[in-house]
Amino acid sequence: MPPKFDPTAIHEVTLRVTGGEGAATAALAPKIGPLGLAPKKISEDIAKNTGDWKGLRITVKLTIQNRQAKISVVPSASSLVIKALKEAPRDRKKVKNIKHDGNVSFDEIISIARQMRPRSMARELRGTVLEILGTAQSVGCKVDGQHPHSVIEKVQSGEYDVPEK
C-alpha cells in the first residue's frame, strides 16, 4: 500500500501547452489526479493564465500544495523571440509551417536575454545574448534588419556592445 498523502508537501508538475488553450485533461489526469486535483478545473486555469501567449507552445509549471495549484508560465527562448515579433495569433489547427520573417531590435534581444539569464548556461549576459541570437536565427527572423548570424559575429568582434547591467 502506498504511503499516506502528505498535504503540506510541495509537488511540481511541468507540462508543455499551447497558450490560450487548456491542457488535454487526458494528459493531466495521471499527473495531478493522485494529488487530489480535478484535471478539468486545472485545464481551465491553465487556459486562463496563458491567454497572452495565445497560439505559442509554452512550458507551464504547476506548484501544488494543500490541493491548491499555482500556475506559472516558464517561456522558452523561442517563444519569447516569437512574441517579440508581435505577430497576430494563429489558429494552429488551420495554419501550419508558419514563417517568422519579422524584425526584432537588438534592445529586445538584450531584454529577452535578461529574462532567460537565470536559466542560461552562459557565464555572462553576452553569452546569453549569443544564445538568444542563435534562437532568432533558427526561428527565421531578422535582428535590426540583418541576418542574426552577422549580428552574432558583430557581438563577438565587439562591434555591438552588450551592457552587463
Side-chain angles (χ1 to χ4, degrees):
M1 199 164 121
K4 182 112 173 76
F5 177 68
D6 180 18
T8 59
I10 298 174
H11 297 277
E12 287 187 349
V13 179
T14 311
L15 331 145
R16 290 273 292 168
V17 296
T18 303
E21 298 175 20
T25 51
L28 270 177
K31 291 181 177 128
I32 64 171
L35 303 174
L37 295 165
K40 189 167 192 225
K41 181 185 172 299
I42 298 296
S43 178
E44 290 166 0
D45 290 347
I46 289 173
K48 194 167 57 187
N49 284 16
T50 59
D52 47 338
W53 296 91
K54 196 163 178 59
L56 295 175
R57 293 281 288 170
I58 49 169
T59 308
V60 172
K61 189 162 97 180
L62 300 171
T63 309
I64 301 163
Q65 185 177 19
N66 294 339
R67 293 183 61 195
Q68 293 292 317
K70 195 174 125 249
I71 299 167
S72 56
V73 177
V74 186
S76 63
S78 58
S79 56
L80 284 167
V81 169
I82 292 170
K83 191 175 180 188
L85 288 170
K86 296 177 182 71
E87 294 177 340
R90 67 183 179 100
D91 183 8
R92 68 186 180 104
K93 291 177 180 73
K94 294 178 186 156
V95 184
K96 303 282 186 203
N97 301 330
I98 191 165
K99 293 269 187 280
H100 303 285
D101 54 359
N103 192 18
V104 180
S105 72
F106 188 68
D107 295 333
E108 283 181 291
I109 294 287
I110 290 176
S111 71
I112 291 170
R114 287 190 205 286
Q115 270 183 285
M116 292 296 293
R117 186 75 191 108
R119 293 190 291 151
S120 170
M121 292 297 195
R123 267 187 272 155
E124 48 201 39
L125 182 65
R126 185 172 168 268
T128 310
V129 167
L130 293 173
E131 286 177 10
I132 302 300
L133 285 168
T135 304
Q137 182 175 343
S138 66
V139 164
C141 65
K142 297 220 181 309
V143 178
D144 285 340
Q146 306 170 57
H147 193 271
H149 199 77
S150 61
V151 178
I152 288 173
E153 290 167 355
K154 287 180 181 178
V155 168
Q156 287 173 334
S157 70
E159 207 173 311
Y160 272 43
D161 185 41
V162 179
E164 198 53 48
K165 293 285 174 222

